[in-house]
Amino acid sequence: MKGHLRHSWKFLTSKIHRPLPLDRRTTHKLLTALNTSFQRNLDRQYPQGLDGSEQSPDAHIDSLLKSPLFGTSRVQEASSNLPKDGVRTNKIQFREMEFALAEPVEYFKQQVSTGSATLDSAKVALSNQLQKTLASAALDPKESMKASGIGSVMVNWLWSSGQYEELEFLSDRVFVYRLMPFLIVEGQYKPVWRWLQHFRNSLARMDPAQMQCDPSLLKSISRLWCALTRCEVRYGQGLQSAMQMFMTSYRSMQLSVPAIPAHILQKISVRAGQCLLWSLSSGKSSAPLEDTVIEDFRRFTAWWALDSRVDMYQALIQISHPRQPDVAHALRFLAKIKSAGIFIREKDRPFVVRIGLKTVELLLAQGSFSQAASVMKTLQNDFASELGLNTEPPVQTEIGERSAPRASNLLFAV
């Protein structure tokens, strides 16, 4: 597959070295190859999963078998009344697993009633319920998730077990990302806002030195905020609602007394903001976006984004506008990073590539084939790794370090 891709790429890009402009058909083919390769490379480096990791059937079954869920409760009680026969024990465990897979909500409720429910068993139950939902063709997935009521079951368990106020469970990345979709489809926003408010109050009581010494707290807030934003886009009311929710929660954080330092707010909100940017640029909005909301979000980047990235984020917002995309800002940004010759962080490079690809799309629509071909050639030369066009490992450099005179190392300053 990779060999075929490289061969096709060489065939297409060999045409770039011919005198510009390229014809419409060749330029479109080249753009398609770039987009396809870029998305494939992203999928390989950042596999999509509710908990941020790949969800293969083998991994799922393996997590079930290793879970403490099957070493407690009914398995132990039933096996204690039977001869220590390996076959019978295996049959009991198999029936236990069948029940957990077929009725994950009821199984978890049973665990709660016997006092053996744990965070691990909760993660297994959430994963099983999601798998059950996806395997069912009877209902719309969101409706099926909502009908299960497992989000409410989890909130009630957290409350009854005394974990609701302590918030230790929010440090578990997998649990947060498995729970949030169910809370969103069930309309259970109140617990999430309460957790964010608790974090806000905790930060307000700390001095900046304490905040820097407790990175786990900042990670937990960032994770919760990002999960809420991402799941609102995918499972809730859509991108516009997620944008408004993000800006409202950010302003709420700003109003804390004493005030939370601006750089701390940036640190905990940047992942949620980037999620919204990526969704906007991917065209994933299920409903029309109001121009006023897009403009508010564009201006809002000056608050949550680091100064060095504001121009990049605003260029991506403007080129991704669903009705009035602005190619001029994107072209100025791309020219700026090419002439500056300074480094961009590795995590920011996909955003630059997305800006470039969307710029090419818009230039083609406007009939500016020479400019489109020129931008594509720049992407080929400077961002080959992000596009999956070479197998060389990325160059590891210090943040803010000046680049070597290689065009392929063009990055943006932090």
Side-chain angles (χ1 to χ4, degrees):
M1 179 63 73
K2 289 185 178 180
H4 175 71
L5 178 62
R6 286 195 294 268
H7 177 75
S8 301
W9 175 253
K10 289 179 180 179
F11 172 75
L12 290 171
T13 54
S14 65
K15 299 179 181 293
I16 287 185
H17 298 288
R18 297 179 179 181
L20 297 176
L22 299 178
D23 62 88
R24 180 189 296 266
R25 181 181 178 185
T26 302
T27 310
H28 272 290
K29 286 174 67 178
L30 186 55
L31 176 61
T32 300
L34 275 167
N35 270 309
T36 302
S37 183
F38 178 50
Q39 189 59 53
R40 183 183 294 114
N41 192 55
L42 280 179
D43 292 341
R44 183 171 60 251
Q45 293 188 22
Y46 309 101
Q48 296 297 310
L50 291 178
D51 62 349
S53 60
E54 286 190 272
Q55 299 294 319
S56 67
D58 290 341
H60 178 61
I61 296 298
D62 185 58
S63 69
L64 290 175
L65 295 176
K66 291 180 179 179
S67 171
L69 188 75
F70 300 107
T72 60
S73 186
R74 291 171 57 231
V75 174
Q76 292 180 345
E77 295 172 8
S79 60
S80 64
N81 297 324
L82 292 173
K84 299 300 180 180
D85 183 271
V87 176
R88 290 191 179 186
T89 302
N90 289 337
K91 286 182 178 180
I92 294 170
Q93 291 178 335
F94 183 74
R95 286 197 297 269
E96 190 83 1
M97 185 167 66
E98 280 189 319
F99 181 47
L101 290 170
E103 300 294 340
V105 179
E106 293 303 316
Y107 190 83
F108 184 74
K109 286 181 178 179
Q110 191 174 83
Q111 293 289 305
V112 173
S113 67
T114 60
S116 58
T118 65
L119 206 58
D120 285 330
S121 64
K123 289 185 287 188
V124 171
L126 289 165
S127 178
N128 288 345
Q129 184 58 48
L130 181 61
Q131 295 292 333
K132 180 181 177 181
T133 297
L134 297 177
S136 174
L139 295 173
D140 175 82
K142 291 183 183 179
E143 289 300 319
S144 181
M145 291 171 66
K146 182 178 180 180
S148 74
I150 194 171
S152 300
V153 170
M154 291 295 167
V155 171
N156 291 336
W157 167 65
L158 291 171
W159 182 271
S160 64
S161 62
Q163 301 181 66
Y164 188 88
E165 297 293 340
E166 296 176 0
L167 304 186
E168 290 292 332
F169 63 91
L170 292 176
S171 63
D172 191 309
R173 176 180 60 87
V174 175
F175 180 72
V176 170
Y177 277 98
R178 289 184 182 178
L179 173 62
M180 191 62 70
F182 291 99
L183 294 180
I184 296 300
V185 297
E186 294 176 32
Q188 288 277 4
Y189 293 97
K190 189 175 180 178
V192 184
W193 289 122
R194 185 179 179 89
W195 297 333
L196 281 173
Q197 184 180 33
H198 179 92
F199 278 136
R200 184 195 69 179
N201 296 339
S202 297
L203 286 176
R205 291 192 297 266
M206 301 170 67
D207 60 56
Q210 286 179 300
M211 297 177 192
Q212 297 292 350
C213 294
D214 190 6
S216 61
L217 175 63
L218 301 184
K219 285 182 180 180
S220 294
I221 304 174
S222 175
R223 181 183 301 114
L224 179 64
W225 210 342
C226 181
L228 171 64
T229 303
R230 188 171 81 173
C231 290
E232 179 65 14
V233 173
R234 184 171 179 181
Y235 300 98
Q237 300 303 311
L239 181 56
Q240 178 162 301
S241 174
M243 285 181 172
Q244 293 171 324
M245 192 178 294
F246 173 73
M247 291 186 285
T248 299
S249 55
Y250 191 97
R251 291 187 178 105
S252 175
M253 289 282 188
Q254 284 181 312
L255 295 176
S256 63
V257 179
I260 300 173
H263 72 281
I264 296 295
L265 274 177
Q266 288 176 334
K267 181 173 290 188
I268 63 179
S269 64
V270 66
R271 289 181 61 193
Q274 288 177 336
C275 170
L276 293 171
L277 281 171
W278 202 255
S279 297
L280 175 64
S281 66
S282 302
K284 292 183 178 180
S285 176
S286 58
L289 294 170
E290 296 177 9
D291 292 346
T292 54
V293 175
I294 298 175
E295 179 60 17
D296 285 347
F297 182 64
R298 185 190 69 79
R299 292 176 179 175
F300 212 68
T301 56
W303 290 95
W304 62 266
L306 296 175
D307 293 341
S308 59
R309 298 188 182 96
V310 171
D311 195 32
M312 175 177 70
Y313 292 160
Q314 293 193 350
L316 184 56
I317 292 171
Q318 292 185 325
I319 197 67
S320 302
H321 195 291
R323 288 172 298 281
Q324 300 173 338
D326 178 14
V327 70
H329 193 142
L331 286 172
R332 287 195 298 271
F333 170 75
L334 293 172
K336 174 184 175 181
I337 64 169
K338 185 170 184 179
S339 61
I342 51 181
F343 280 100
I344 287 188
R345 294 176 66 219
E346 289 297 322
K347 290 183 179 180
D348 290 334
R349 287 175 67 86
F351 288 97
V352 180
V353 175
R354 177 58 62 85
I355 292 172
L357 293 175
K358 294 192 74 68
T359 299
V360 171
E361 291 176 8
L362 194 56
L363 290 172
L364 289 176
Q366 296 174 349
S368 302
F369 304 117
S370 296
Q371 280 186 298
S374 178
V375 173
M376 281 194 289
K377 186 175 182 180
T378 298
L379 292 175
Q380 174 204 0
N381 292 337
D382 301 346
F383 297 93
S385 176
E386 285 68 31
L387 291 165
L389 303 179
N390 64 26
T391 57
E392 295 179 6
V395 178
Q396 299 296 324
T397 56
E398 294 294 328
I399 294 178
E401 181 185 345
R402 290 278 171 174
S403 67
R406 285 181 54 191
S408 60
N409 281 341
L410 283 178
L411 301 172
F412 190 70
V414 175

